[in-house]
C-alpha cells in the first residue's frame, strides 16, 4: 500500500511501488529505485529534515519540518527501496534458476537418473555469486537485509547462498543408494560374476566425466561392459551412440567379445556399438570425413620405426659430412652427460691409483665427468696426453704435496688444468681451499715458465668450451685429427641404435604434443637452463631426421600413428558433427598420449556427452612411448570438472601380494593413494626373494624354483624379464605340471598367471631398475615426470608383482641386489631364501647410500664389509 509523509513546511513524500515521489514548492519529482538513495534524513538547526542530493556538483536541498515520528519510517523506506533495487536483477535470476534447479533435482531423483555435472552447470552458469551480490550493499543495508526483502526475495537470496554442487552430490548419493538396491538383480547378472558395490557405483555414476582409478585385477573391463549395458537398459544412450576405445588390438578384441556375450545374455540391443583401438578408430574417422582412408607406414605398423630412423641416419651420414660429424659428436661426447648438476656418479675404480671416478675411452679412470669429457675429446682427436703426471719441477712444500696437473701433453711440453668452476665463478663442489689451490697452481706455472692450458667445468659439460680448447692446443703446436671410428679400448660410447631410439622417442613426444620448431624454441626460451650447446646440437640433428621421416611418409603416401591421431582430432574439432557418440569409454587411460587425449576431448564437444576413463596411475609404464601420466592424475584440469570412482578390490592377487606391491609403489608420494583389498580375504604366501651367489647361478635357481612349484602344485607360470634377453634364464627343458611362459614385464600388462617369477632383479645398467636413464633432452618435448627417482621403473615392478594369482618370486644376486630388492627385504611379508629354498640370514643394506648391500671384502688391514655399489659408494663397516 502507498505510504505518505507530510512535512510541517508543506512538502509531501509518498512511497509507492519501487520508488518515492516528492512534492515541494509546486514541483513533483520521482526517485525510482537506486535514485531513492538521493533522499536522506538529517538534523537541521533544531529539528529533522529531508536532504535531497542533487548530484553533478549542484547544491543539495533541505526540506525542513520532518516530524520526529516519521524520520525512522522515511529512512527505512529509502533503505528498503534502494536495497531491493540493487538486488533486483540478481534475485530475479536466482528465483528463475531456483525453479529450474529444484525441478532438475526432483525429477532426476524421482526417475532415478544421474544428475550430470553439465546439466546442473547449465542452470547455474549465469547465477550471481552470493558474496558478490551482498558486496553491492553497505554494511547498514546488510545488517537489516531481512527486514528490507520480501519473503520471495529472501528465498531467492537464500538460494544463492547454497552449495549447489553439494546438493547435486547429495541427490546423486540418494539416486546411487536406490539404484544399488533396485538394480542389484541386473548387477548380479551383467557379468559372469556379480559386480561388487564399488564396481556398481562406477557403473551407476553416469556423469559427464568420470575417472575410474582401477587397481590391478579389480575388474575394470567388467565396469566398461556393465556401463554400456546399464546405459542401454536404462535408455540413457542408444547402442550406436556408444564408443569404446582400447589401448591395443588384444584389449579391443576382448572388449568386443565380452560386450557381445554379456549384452546378448541380457537380451539387450548392441547393433552399432563401436569398439576399436585409437588407431583403427582414427583411420576410419579420417576416411569417413575425407573420403580417403590413410594408410599407416609399414615400418611403423610393423614396429620397425627405430630401424627406419637408423636407416635415415645412415643415409644422412653418407650424404652430408656436416650431419655425420654432428651425429658422431653427439653420440661420442654429448651423449655421455649426466643429468645431475655436479657431474654424475662414479662408474669406475683404478686399484693401482686408488682413484674412484669415470672410465674414459682410453681405459683409465679420471676423477670427474668433466675430466672424462676432456680425455675422450682428446682421444678422439688423436692427442697423446698423460693423466695426472707429476709436474716437471719439485714444488712440494710444507702445505702442498707434489703437484700433478690434470693433463700433460708431452709432444709440446704443455700442462692442462680443468677447473671445477661454474659459469658464475663458483666452484662445483665445496672444496675447502679450492680457490687458493687454483691461485697456487697458476703461480707455479708462472714461476717455472711452463705452458698452462685451462678449461672450466661449465663450458666443458655443455661442450661450448671445446672450440676454445682446440684453438689453444693448436696454438701450442698440437695437431687435432678427429676420428670417430677409432678403436675404443675403454668405456663404451652411446650406441647408434640407442641414439636412434632416443630420436624416435623424442619424435613421438614432439608429434603428440603438436610441437613445431617455433614452439620448441619458445619452450627452450622459457627454460634458460635447457639452452645448452648439447641441446642445440640434438635439436639440429632431430629436425634433419624429422624432415627425412616426413619425406618418407609423403613419398609412400602414408602416415604414422601420431600424425594420424592429430589429423583425426583436427577433423572433429572443425566438424563436431563427426562426434556422434554420447558415451565414450577409454581403457588404460594412464597410458594415454596427448594426441589420444586431444582426440578424446574433441569427441566430447557439445551437450549430453559422457566420458568414462578407466586406468591406474600405479601401472603407468609407457612414458617412453608418448604416454602422459598427468592426463590421468590431472584429469579434471584437461577435460573439465570430473567425478572420481575407485576400484580397490582385486580379484586376482592375494592380500599379501597386494600389500607388498602397494607399500612398494606408494613410496612415491606423487601416486594417487588407494587401499587395495583382496576379494579372497587376508593372507597368502609371502613374496619370496631367491638370493644366489653368482650371476651364472640365476638360471639354475629359476629352474630349481619351478621344479619345487611343480612338486607341490600345478598351474600357469609367467617368467617376466625386464629385458627380452632375460629369456635366456628360462629352463631349457619342459617342467611337467606347469605351463611356463616368458614375457617381458611390459608385455605382461593386462595378463595374469598363477605364479610369477622375475629372474634378474639386480643392479646395474641392465638391471631392475635400469640405470639407463632418460636423456635430459627429452624434457624439451615430454611431459614432466613426478621427480621421484626410478618412478616409472617402480611402477613397472608393481605391474610385474600384481600379475600373480598365487605366488611371486624374485631372483637376485648377492652383492648385486637391485635397490628395489633392498626395499622389499624390509617388508614383513617378504622372505629371503637361497637357491635351495632355505631361509638365509640378514641381508644388510649399506648405511651410506642405501642402494647397495654390505659384502665381505679384504684389504691391507684385514677383513671388512664394503658397499656392493663400489666405486660409486665407498662406505665400509668393520667386521
Amino acid at each position: 500500500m502507498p505510504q505518505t509523509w507530510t512535512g510541517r513546511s508543506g512538502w509531501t513524500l509518498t512511497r509507492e511501488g519501487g520508488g518515492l515521489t516528492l512534492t515541494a514548492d509546486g514541483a513533483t519529482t520521482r526517485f525510482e529505485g537506486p535514485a531513492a538513495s538521493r533522499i536522506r534524513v538529517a538534523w537541521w538547526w533544531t529539528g529533522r529534515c529531508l536532504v535531497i542530493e542533487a548530484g553533478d556538483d549542484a547544491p543539495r536541498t533541505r526540506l525542513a519540518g520532518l516530524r520526529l515520528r516519521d524520520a525512522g519510517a522515511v529512512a527505512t523506506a529509502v533503505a528498503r527501496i534502494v536495497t531491493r533495487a540493487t538486488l533486483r536483477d540478481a534475485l530475479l535470476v536466482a528465483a528463475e534458476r531456483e525453479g529450474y534447479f529444484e525441478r532438475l533435482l526432483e525429477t532426476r531423483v524421482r526417475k532415478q537418473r544421474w544428475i550430470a555435472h553439465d546439466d546442473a552447470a547449465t542452470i547455474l552458469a549465469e547465477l550471481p555469486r552470493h558474496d558478490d551480490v551482498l558486496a553491492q550493499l553497505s554494511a547498514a543495508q546488510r545488517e537489516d537485509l531481512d527486514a528490507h526483502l520480501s519473503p520471495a526475495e529472501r528465498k531467492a537470496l537464500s538460494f544463492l547462498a547454497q552449495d549447489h554442487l553439494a546438493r547435486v552430490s547429495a541427490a546423486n548419493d540418494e539416486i546411487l543408494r536406490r539404484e544399488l538396491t533396485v538394480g542389484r538383480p541386473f548387477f548380479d547378472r551383467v557379468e559372469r560374476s556379480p559386480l561388487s558395490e564399488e564396481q556398481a557405483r562406477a557403473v551407476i555414476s553416469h556423469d559427464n566425466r568420470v575417472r575410474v582409478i582401477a587397481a590391478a585385477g579389480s575388474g575394470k573391463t567388467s565396469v566398461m561392459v556393465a556401463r554400456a549395458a546399464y546405459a542401454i537398459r536404462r535408455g540413457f544412450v542408444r547402442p550406436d551412440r556408444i564408443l569404446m576405445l582400447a589401448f591395443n588390438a588384444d584389449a579391443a578384441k576382448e572388449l568386443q567379445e565380452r560386450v557381445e556375450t554379456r549384452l546378448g545374455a541380457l537380451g539387450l540391443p548392441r547393433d552399432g556399438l563401436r569398439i576399436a583401438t585409437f588407431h583403427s578408430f582414427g583411420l576410419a574417422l579420417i576416411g569417413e570425413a575425407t573420403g580417403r582412408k590413410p594408410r599407416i607406414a609399414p615400418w611403423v605398423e610393423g614396429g620397425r620405426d627405430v630401424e627406419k630412423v637408423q636407416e635415415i641416419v645412415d643415409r644422412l651420414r653418407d650424404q652430408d659430412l656436416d650431419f655425420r660429424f654432428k651425429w658422431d659428436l653427439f653420440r661420442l661426447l654429448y651423449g655421455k652427460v649426466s643429468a645431475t648438476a655436479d657431474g654424475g656418479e662414479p662408474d669406475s675404480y683404478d686399484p693401482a691409483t686408488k682413484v674412484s671416478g669415470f672410465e674414459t675411452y682410453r681405459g683409465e679412470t679420471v676423477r670427474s665427468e668433466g675430466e672424462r669429457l676432456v680425455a675422450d675429446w682428446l682421444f678422439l682427436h688423436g692427442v697423446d696426453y698423460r693423466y695426472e703426471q707429476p709436474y716437471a719441477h719439485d714444488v712440494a712444500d710444507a702445505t702442498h704435496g707434489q703437484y700433478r696437473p690434470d693433463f700433460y701433453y708431452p709432444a709440446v711440453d704443455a700442462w692442462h688444468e680443468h677447473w671445477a668452476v661454474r659459469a658464475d665463478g663458483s666452484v662445483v663442489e665445496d672444496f675447502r681451499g679450492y680457490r687458493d689451490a687454483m691461485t697456487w697452481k697458476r703461480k707455479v706455472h708462472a714461476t717455472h715458465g711452463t705452458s698452462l692450458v685451462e678449461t672450466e667445468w661449465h663450458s666443458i659439460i655443455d661442450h661450448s668450451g671445446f672450440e676454445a680448447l682446440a684453438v689453444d692446443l693448436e696454438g701450442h703446436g698440437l695437431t687435432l685429427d678427429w676420428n670417430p671410428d677409432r678403436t675404443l679400448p675403454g668405456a663404451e660410447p652411446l650406441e647408434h641404435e640407442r641414439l636412434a631410439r632416443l630420436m624416435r622417442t623424442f619424435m613421438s613426444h614432439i608429434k603428440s604434443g603438436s610441437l613445431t620448431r617455433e614452439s620448441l624454441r619458445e619452450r627452450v626460451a622459457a627454460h634458460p637452463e635447457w639452452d645448452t650447446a648439447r641441446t642445440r646440437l640434438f635439436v639440429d640433428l632431430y629436425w634433419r631426421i624429422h624432415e627425412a621421416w616426413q619425406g618418407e611418409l609423403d613419398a609412400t603416401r602414408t602416415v604414422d600413428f601420431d600424425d594420424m591421431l592429430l589429423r583425426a582430432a583436427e577433423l572433429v574439432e572443425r566438424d563436431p558433427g563427426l562426434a556422434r557418440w554420447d558415451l565414450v569409454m577409454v581403457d588404460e587411460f594412464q597410458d594415454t598420449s596427448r594426441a589420444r587425449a586431444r582426440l578424446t576431448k574433441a569427441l566430447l564437444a557439445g551437450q549430453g556427452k559422457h566420458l568414462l576413463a578407466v586406468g591406474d596411475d600405479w601401472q603407468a609404464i609407457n612414458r617412453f612411448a608418448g604416454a602422459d601420466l598427468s592426463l590421468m592424475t590431472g584429469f579434471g584440469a584437461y577435460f573439465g570438472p570430473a567425478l572420481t570412482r575407485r576400484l580397490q578390490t582385486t580379484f586376482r592377487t592375494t592380500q599379501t601380494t597386494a600389500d607388498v606391491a602397494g607399500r612398494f609403489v606408494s613410496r612415491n608420494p606423487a601416486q594417487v593413494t588407494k587401499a587395495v583389498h583382496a576379494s579372497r580375504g587376508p593372507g597368502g604366501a609371502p613374496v619370496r626373494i631367491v638370493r644366489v651367489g653368482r650371476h651364472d647361478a640365476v638360471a639354475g635357481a629359476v629352474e630349481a624354483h619351478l621344479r619345487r612349484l611343480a612338486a607341490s602344485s600345478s598351474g600357469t607360470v609367467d617368467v617376466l624379464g625386464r629385458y627380452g634377453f632375460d629369456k635366456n634364464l628360462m629352463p631349457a627343458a619342459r617342467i611337467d605340471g606347469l605351463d611356463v611362459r616368458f614375457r617381458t614385464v611390459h608385455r605382461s600388462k593386462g595378463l595374469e598367471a598363477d605364479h610369477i617369477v622375475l629372474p634378474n632383479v639386480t643392479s646395474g645398467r641392465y638391471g631392475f631398475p635400469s640405470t639407463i636413464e632418460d636423456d635430459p633432452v627429452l624434457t624439451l618435448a615430454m611431459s614432466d615426470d613426478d621427480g621421484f627417482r626410478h618412478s616409472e621403473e617402480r611402477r613397472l615392478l608393481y605391474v610385474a608383482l600384481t600379475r600373480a594369482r598365487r605366488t611371486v618370486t624374485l631372483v637376485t644376486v648377492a652383492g648385486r641386489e637391485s635397490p628395489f630388492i633392498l626395499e622389499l627385504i624390509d617388508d614383513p611379508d617378504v622372505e629371503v631364501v637361497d637357491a635351495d629354498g632355505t631361509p638365509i640370514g640378514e641381508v644388510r643394506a649399506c648405511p651410506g647410500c642405501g642402494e647397495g648391500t654390505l659384502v665381505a671384502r679384504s684389504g691391507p688391514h684385514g677383513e671388512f664389509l664394503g658397499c656392493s655399489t663400489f666405486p660409486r659408494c665407498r662406505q665400509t663397516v668393520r667386521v
Side-chain angles (χ1 to χ4, degrees):
M1 296 293 293
Q3 186 177 10
T4 301
W5 300 276
T6 302
R8 286 190 292 266
S9 58
W11 52 264
T12 61
L13 181 67
T14 301
R15 177 186 66 78
E16 186 174 15
L20 294 168
T21 301
L22 176 66
T23 301
D25 298 328
T28 298
T29 307
R30 178 71 177 174
F31 299 87
E32 194 72 36
S37 62
R38 291 173 53 196
I39 300 176
R40 61 186 177 87
V41 175
W43 283 98
W44 190 58
W45 294 101
T46 59
R48 296 275 187 173
C49 70
L50 289 181
V51 177
I52 315 300
E53 302 288 351
D56 298 328
D57 297 325
R60 64 171 61 96
T61 301
R62 290 185 176 86
L63 299 176
L66 176 63
R67 292 179 175 81
L68 186 61
R69 67 175 184 271
D70 295 335
V74 170
T76 299
V78 169
R80 177 172 296 176
I81 290 171
V82 171
T83 298
R84 296 180 71 182
T86 302
L87 302 183
R88 179 180 56 199
D89 291 344
L91 296 183
L92 285 174
V93 171
E96 178 192 36
R97 298 303 171 87
E98 180 182 22
Y100 293 143
F101 186 73
E102 296 297 340
R103 283 194 295 276
L104 174 71
L105 267 59
E106 186 276 328
T107 302
R108 292 297 181 84
V109 171
R110 176 166 45 81
K111 293 184 176 181
Q112 286 299 99
R113 177 165 183 166
W114 191 267
I115 307 168
H117 174 276
D118 292 357
D119 291 341
T122 299
I123 294 173
L124 303 172
E126 298 177 6
L127 197 65
R129 293 180 65 252
H130 181 261
D131 290 348
D132 293 341
V133 170
L134 294 187
Q136 302 174 71
L137 304 177
S138 67
Q141 288 174 316
R142 290 196 295 272
E143 186 174 345
D144 294 330
L145 190 58
D146 282 351
H148 296 328
L149 299 180
S150 69
E153 289 168 331
R154 287 197 294 272
K155 184 171 180 288
L157 185 62
S158 175
F159 175 70
L160 290 181
Q162 294 175 10
D163 185 339
H164 305 102
L165 294 183
R167 290 193 61 200
V168 171
S169 179
N172 279 333
D173 286 345
E174 176 61 18
I175 293 168
L176 181 63
R177 185 187 66 78
R178 294 183 187 177
E179 281 292 274
L180 286 172
T181 301
V182 175
R184 178 41 62 185
F186 167 79
F187 298 130
D188 285 347
R189 295 176 52 232
V190 66
E191 272 283 74
R192 289 187 295 270
S193 299
L195 296 191
S196 66
E197 181 171 320
E198 61 185 8
Q199 288 176 316
R201 288 168 63 89
V203 169
I204 294 167
S205 304
H206 195 66
D207 219 312
N208 295 107
R209 292 158 295 273
V210 180
R211 175 182 66 164
V212 178
I213 299 176
S218 61
K220 62 184 179 63
T221 304
S222 291
V223 167
M224 295 179 70
V225 172
R227 166 62 77 94
Y230 179 76
I232 294 169
R233 173 177 173 267
R234 291 295 313 275
F236 299 160
V237 183
R238 298 199 317 263
D240 62 339
R241 305 286 291 185
I242 298 176
L243 172 65
M244 304 173 82
L245 294 171
F247 189 74
N248 57 42
D250 289 341
K253 181 180 178 182
E254 180 189 1
L255 266 175
Q256 186 74 52
E257 292 172 350
R258 294 269 287 273
V259 165
E260 290 180 357
T261 300
R262 300 318 306 167
L263 269 64
L266 293 169
L268 293 173
R270 54 192 183 280
D271 292 344
L273 192 153
R274 183 78 179 275
I275 300 172
T277 64
F278 268 98
H279 293 153
S280 64
F281 172 74
L283 288 169
L285 189 139
I286 294 172
E288 175 190 339
T290 67
R292 185 182 181 87
K293 182 179 178 180
R295 186 168 65 92
I296 297 295
W299 65 86
V300 174
E301 196 165 33
R304 295 181 286 106
D305 47 345
V306 175
E307 293 176 29
K308 174 57 72 172
V309 172
Q310 289 182 276
E311 177 187 314
I312 289 172
V313 168
D314 289 342
R315 186 170 67 248
L316 291 173
R317 291 179 80 237
D318 289 340
Q319 297 172 349
D320 188 334
L321 290 178
D322 180 64
F323 181 90
R324 172 186 284 270
F325 171 73
K326 289 179 177 178
W327 176 268
D328 290 335
L329 184 64
F330 190 93
R331 184 177 67 86
L332 294 168
L333 290 177
Y334 286 66
K336 297 179 63 177
V337 66
S338 169
T340 59
D342 60 358
E345 298 177 339
D347 58 18
S348 179
Y349 177 71
D350 185 345
T353 62
K354 302 295 191 290
V355 172
S356 173
F358 302 82
E359 185 181 11
T360 69
Y361 286 150
R362 202 169 72 172
E364 75 241 313
T365 299
V366 297
R367 298 180 186 275
S368 71
E369 190 172 44
E371 290 180 349
R372 173 167 64 182
L373 287 170
V374 172
D376 288 347
W377 185 88
L378 294 170
F379 179 82
L380 293 168
H381 280 87
V383 176
D384 182 27
Y385 66 87
R386 306 285 185 271
Y387 180 67
E388 290 195 343
Q389 177 164 303
Y391 187 55
H393 303 276
D394 185 0
V395 293
D397 57 26
T399 57
H400 300 93
Q402 177 55 24
Y403 177 31
R404 291 175 176 268
D406 295 327
F407 301 95
Y408 174 62
Y409 305 111
V412 295
D413 191 27
W415 306 84
H416 180 172
E417 279 290 354
H418 176 67
W419 307 118
V421 175
R422 297 187 181 92
D424 62 3
S426 62
V427 297
V428 175
E429 295 184 18
D430 189 18
F431 295 133
R432 185 176 181 182
Y434 190 81
R435 291 203 168 281
D436 291 340
M438 290 173 64
T439 301
W440 179 80
K441 291 173 182 178
R442 286 169 174 154
K443 183 177 179 181
V444 164
H445 288 285
T447 299
H448 294 280
T450 49
S451 298
L452 177 62
V453 175
E454 300 182 56
T455 53
E456 294 184 345
W457 174 85
H458 67 91
S459 64
I460 292 301
I461 284 294
D462 81 0
H463 295 259
S464 62
F466 279 121
E467 184 175 348
L469 176 58
V471 172
D472 204 349
L473 293 180
E474 288 177 336
H476 281 82
L478 284 172
T479 299
L480 303 181
D481 178 23
W482 170 260
N483 182 0
D485 298 321
R486 295 181 192 277
T487 301
L488 307 179
E492 296 180 356
L494 180 63
E495 304 91 341
H496 284 285
E497 188 275 340
R498 188 175 164 211
L499 183 50
R501 188 174 297 280
L502 173 62
M503 288 289 177
R504 178 64 181 121
T505 299
F506 193 77
M507 181 185 293
S508 293
H509 288 279
I510 285 285
K511 290 190 167 203
S512 184
S514 301
L515 297 176
T516 63
R517 289 175 186 263
E518 182 57 35
S519 60
L520 192 61
R521 278 194 292 267
E522 291 172 357
R523 284 172 67 92
V524 173
H527 298 83
E529 69 277 10
W530 292 353
D531 190 11
T532 65
R534 182 180 193 272
T535 298
R536 290 191 292 273
L537 178 59
F538 179 88
V539 171
D540 181 40
L541 288 168
Y542 168 73
W543 286 117
R544 294 288 306 280
I545 295 168
H546 181 102
E547 289 167 357
W549 176 280
Q550 294 302 115
E552 294 264 0
L553 295 177
D554 292 341
T556 57
R557 302 188 72 176
T558 58
V559 296
D560 59 26
F561 288 129
D562 295 305
D563 287 345
M564 180 272 293
L565 289 171
L566 292 173
R567 175 66 175 147
E570 289 168 359
L571 289 168
V572 179
E573 288 165 353
R574 286 187 213 157
D575 180 8
L578 292 170
R580 57 181 179 273
W581 295 275
D582 296 328
L583 173 57
V584 178
M585 291 185 269
V586 181
D587 194 12
E588 301 287 3
F589 201 79
Q590 76 282 347
D591 291 328
T592 294
S593 66
R594 285 273 164 181
R596 285 184 172 95
R598 181 176 169 185
L599 177 55
T600 301
K601 191 172 185 178
L603 293 171
L604 301 174
Q607 293 295 314
K609 303 288 186 172
H610 300 266
L611 169 64
L612 182 78
V614 184
D616 181 9
D617 64 304
W618 288 6
Q619 299 183 70
I621 59 173
N622 283 306
R623 184 169 179 254
F624 71 94
D628 186 344
L629 180 55
S630 69
L631 294 167
M632 180 74 181
T633 56
F635 184 79
Y638 187 84
F639 289 98
L643 179 69
T644 294
R645 291 287 185 238
R646 283 178 165 80
L647 303 182
Q648 300 183 123
T649 300
T650 177
F651 301 97
R652 179 187 301 150
T653 69
T654 66
Q655 187 64 52
T656 297
T657 299
D659 288 345
V660 171
R663 287 190 289 262
F664 172 78
V665 77
S666 295
R667 285 177 181 256
N668 183 351
Q671 307 285 165
V672 176
T673 58
K674 59 181 77 77
V676 181
H677 305 285
S679 63
R680 68 184 76 174
V687 171
R688 174 171 285 193
I689 295 173
V690 178
R691 188 171 184 254
V692 299
R694 304 180 317 279
H695 192 270
D696 58 12
V698 169
V702 170
E703 182 171 355
H705 172 69
L706 294 177
R707 293 196 180 281
R708 284 194 297 273
L709 272 181
S712 60
S713 64
S714 61
T716 57
V717 180
D718 274 2
V719 178
L720 304 181
R722 174 61 183 84
Y723 303 96
F725 56 70
D726 287 330
K727 187 174 183 179
N728 298 329
L729 301 172
M730 288 276 288
R734 183 177 180 278
I735 298 177
D736 292 336
L738 295 178
D739 178 10
V740 183
R741 301 157 297 190
F742 175 83
R743 313 178 196 275
T744 62
V745 182
H746 277 99
R747 292 192 176 276
S748 74
K749 184 75 178 301
L751 304 175
E752 59 185 48
D754 293 315
H755 309 282
I756 293 296
V757 178
L758 286 91
N760 190 25
V761 191
T762 55
S763 60
R765 184 178 177 84
Y766 291 101
F768 198 169
S770 167
T771 56
I772 305 174
E773 298 195 14
D774 286 339
D775 193 285
V777 296
L778 291 178
T779 58
L780 273 67
M782 293 176 77
S783 61
D784 294 334
D785 66 12
D786 52 32
F788 194 72
R789 191 176 188 196
H790 299 315
S791 59
E792 183 137 338
E793 290 284 303
R794 182 177 295 273
R795 293 191 290 267
L796 189 61
L797 183 55
Y798 173 82
V799 167
L801 297 174
T802 54
R803 300 309 93 195
R805 287 190 288 262
R806 291 159 63 184
T807 71
V808 179
T809 302
L810 303 89
V811 182
T812 191
V813 179
R816 291 190 53 208
E817 293 92 344
S818 158
F820 291 164
I821 289 289
L822 298 181
E823 291 183 22
L824 291 170
I825 283 173
D826 290 335
D827 192 292
D829 289 324
V830 173
E831 67 174 13
V832 184
V833 301
D834 63 17
D836 296 326
T838 305
I840 63 177
E842 178 185 14
V843 178
R844 297 175 62 185
C846 172
C849 67
E851 294 191 356
T853 57
L854 294 178
V855 296
R857 290 204 171 98
S858 61
H861 305 291
E863 302 293 324
F864 66 96
L865 299 177
C867 183
S868 61
T869 67
F870 179 86
R872 182 158 53 87
C873 175
R874 303 175 66 88
Q875 180 74 33
T876 61
V877 176
R878 289 183 179 180
V879 175

